[in-house]
Amino acid sequence: LTTPVEGAQRYTTNWDLTLPPDPESIDEMEFWADLEGDLAGDPPAGYPSEELVHGLRLAARGIGRTVLDAPDRARVFDATITSSLASMGDLRLQLDGGAFSLALEAATRGLHTEVGLSLVDWLRHHCTWLTREDAARVWSVVRVAQTHWGAALGEALTRGETSLYRASKVAACLLRVTPSLNPDQREAYARIVIPAASHRQLSDQDLSKVCGKLLTDLLDEQSPGERERTAYELRYASQRSIGEGLTRFTIDAPDDAAATLVGIFTCPLAAPVPAEDGTADLRSPAQRRYDALIAVVNRGLSNPGAAPSAARAAVILTIGFDPVTGRPTGPAWTPTGEHVSVRQAELLTCSGEITPVWISPEGEPLKLGRTARFASPGQWKALVVRDRHCTFPGCTVPPQWCDTHHLLYWSRGGQTNLEAMGLLCGQHHTYVHLHDLVATVSGGTLTWHL
């Protein structure tokens, strides 16, 4: 592996391995001996599976040597720290590329659809180290890489020429604009933006500008009638956490929808409201616009003048309850996992737009509703608290998109009780019935017996 130096020992197998002179400890000697064993003999030619496993095992052992404890770190030269960090960056790109290539192959083979999961859920089920955001980024690049015009993006990520973050930024841009393009335009747009992902001198901010320029150019090139259709296809809403307790929403709205939002931002709900003592309204214009928007949303959710048409439009707040003191025992949370402080929870439970669901210290939700053929709105809310999402193993489809499934089918005498029901997304509801799967509820936890 290295040029022999004085005092070094050379072990010759199918691989050429040069050991460092005078190992300092038994551990060092054992490491090199084990490594020699790993390197002894090439994997059988023509067997990529063996080569992949062999390479990953060897890489893991090598990477393990880069983790230094405090005394060893103190002995590393400044220049080595700088160069090693750069090498770590290159290695990270290679790891991103390797993981993506396997995810792309899994998607091509349909491994996730065989078990009824989205690729994002399938990846997170098998790669516990992968965040939901990164799994979604992989999925966006996979979608582009599976097209003839976007295959180059997947190849660049696989070769380690760009990061997953940058590749996903380009993929998101292409997925937005390509529905409005003809085949030739798709090829042209891809040739512009895909190389930008691998351009090392182009910052992430500059890459965002390139992607944004594609959107504006696309609209500018359209005739008036086509521009309206394109603008509608480019509608967009996203959310991301920017800190504990604060989420940022981004919306790209066509002109007609933008006019509605502007109307809310400029209506009397957004006007300054002096206090009763004449003190000026201290809210900023941005805060007043936010308050106006939330007021309109809450009015829509509460459906004034008529009963709500569906329990699924309600905002549910789960609150731990102490039956002795009658007070919350800790922070509340929404069905999607956002936490709310105790003080805020107590205030929100007085709001007509919020449905508080109290749970026992054991996690059992309050039993709401009554027995009937279909789950009542109250029962559905309690199932949201208990199950949180589709109950099929590995699936995270939110409760708003789920059906209420009788664990013992209604046709077989099943009861419409909380302990006899569970949430299933449409795909897994069909899957469970096709395979006649059984589940049980114990202690507020639903378990599928697969």
Side-chain angles (χ1 to χ4, degrees):
L1 295 181
T2 60
T3 302
V5 296
E6 184 177 355
Q9 305 175 59
R10 175 181 290 276
Y11 284 77
T12 303
T13 61
N14 290 347
W15 292 51
D16 194 18
L17 176 67
T18 298
L19 300 186
D22 301 326
E24 296 181 355
S25 67
I26 297 299
D27 290 340
E28 186 85 5
M29 296 175 66
E30 290 177 349
F31 167 78
W32 287 109
D34 290 344
L35 184 59
E36 183 208 1
D38 286 340
L39 292 173
D42 288 323
Y47 289 90
S49 293
E50 286 80 357
E51 292 181 2
L52 175 61
V53 173
H54 188 81
L56 288 173
R57 183 172 67 246
L58 183 60
R61 294 185 62 82
I63 292 174
R65 300 290 294 173
T66 67
V67 182
L68 306 177
D69 57 21
D72 286 340
R73 288 197 301 270
R75 297 165 59 189
V76 176
F77 296 119
D78 293 353
T80 304
I81 291 178
T82 302
S83 62
S84 296
L85 285 173
S87 298
M88 288 283 189
D90 292 336
L91 182 60
R92 175 63 183 269
L93 292 178
Q94 289 181 297
L95 289 174
D96 278 355
F100 167 77
S101 67
L102 294 177
L104 176 61
E105 184 62 26
T108 302
R109 299 185 186 187
L111 299 185
H112 58 297
T113 59
E114 290 179 0
V115 291
L117 295 178
S118 68
L119 184 62
V120 171
D121 284 341
W122 186 86
L123 287 172
R124 295 202 69 213
H125 182 69
H126 292 283
C127 310
T128 55
W129 47 268
L130 198 63
T131 66
R132 173 164 292 278
E133 292 76 11
D134 281 344
R137 289 177 179 134
V138 171
W139 172 224
S140 66
V141 182
V142 164
R143 292 169 62 190
V144 170
Q146 289 179 324
T147 66
H148 69 279
W149 46 263
L153 182 62
E155 294 169 0
L157 180 54
T158 299
R159 292 193 298 264
E161 296 173 357
T162 187
S163 66
L164 175 61
Y165 173 79
R166 290 170 67 91
S168 67
K169 185 183 289 291
V170 169
C173 174
L174 290 173
L175 290 172
R176 289 190 66 191
V177 302
T178 49
S180 305
L181 303 176
N182 60 44
D184 291 339
Q185 290 174 319
R186 291 173 184 172
E187 294 275 3
Y189 273 63
R191 284 197 300 268
I192 293 173
V193 73
I194 288 178
S198 304
H199 200 299
R200 294 296 181 94
Q201 280 70 47
L202 201 65
S203 68
D204 291 348
Q205 185 178 9
D206 290 335
L207 181 60
S208 297
K209 291 178 180 179
V210 171
C211 294
K213 187 70 164 54
L214 286 184
L215 296 178
T216 56
D217 287 349
L218 176 60
L219 290 172
D220 291 342
E221 293 171 359
Q222 306 290 330
S223 62
E226 293 176 338
R227 188 177 299 124
E228 293 179 1
R229 178 181 61 83
T230 301
Y232 180 74
E233 291 177 347
L234 293 176
R235 65 195 186 281
Y236 178 82
S238 66
Q239 69 180 70
R240 66 181 180 89
S241 174
I242 59 174
E244 186 68 27
L246 195 62
T247 301
R248 173 168 292 165
F249 291 85
T250 302
I251 299 175
D252 291 347
D255 286 344
D256 54 347
T260 301
L261 293 174
V262 171
I264 295 173
F265 293 152
T266 58
C267 74
L269 290 172
V273 180
E276 294 182 358
D277 60 0
T279 305
D281 191 340
L282 299 180
R283 295 177 299 166
S284 68
Q287 290 171 330
R288 287 188 275 109
R289 289 193 292 270
Y290 168 85
D291 293 343
L293 179 61
I294 291 299
V296 171
V297 171
N298 284 340
R299 286 181 182 180
L301 289 176
S302 59
N303 198 7
S309 58
R312 304 184 186 199
V315 178
I316 298 176
L317 192 65
T318 306
I319 307 170
F321 175 71
D322 185 344
V324 177
T325 64
R327 297 182 61 82
T329 57
W333 63 90
T334 68
T336 54
E338 287 82 10
H339 283 73
V340 180
S341 69
V342 175
R343 181 174 177 276
Q344 288 177 314
E346 290 180 318
L347 294 174
L348 289 172
T349 55
C350 298
S351 169
E353 292 81 30
I354 301 294
T355 300
V357 178
W358 302 86
I359 61 173
S360 70
E362 292 76 28
E364 289 282 357
L366 179 66
K367 295 183 180 294
L368 303 174
R370 62 180 181 82
T371 302
R373 169 64 179 85
F374 299 104
S376 69
Q379 287 175 317
W380 187 85
K381 294 174 185 176
L383 288 173
V384 171
V385 172
R386 189 192 72 192
D387 296 343
R388 299 180 60 191
H389 47 68
C390 174
T391 57
F392 197 85
C395 187
T396 59
V397 169
Q400 290 82 358
W401 300 346
C402 290
D403 303 326
T404 303
H405 168 69
H406 288 80
L407 303 182
L408 176 62
Y409 301 167
W410 176 266
S411 59
R412 302 176 184 176
Q415 300 292 314
T416 310
N417 298 326
L418 290 177
E419 62 274 11
M421 296 186 296
L423 295 180
L424 284 173
C425 66
Q427 184 174 10
H428 285 124
H429 201 174
T430 301
Y431 185 89
V432 164
H433 278 271
L434 285 175
H435 295 83
D436 203 17
L437 299 181
V438 176
T440 55
V441 177
S442 176
T445 301
L446 189 151
T447 302
W448 285 99
H449 305 284
L450 304 179

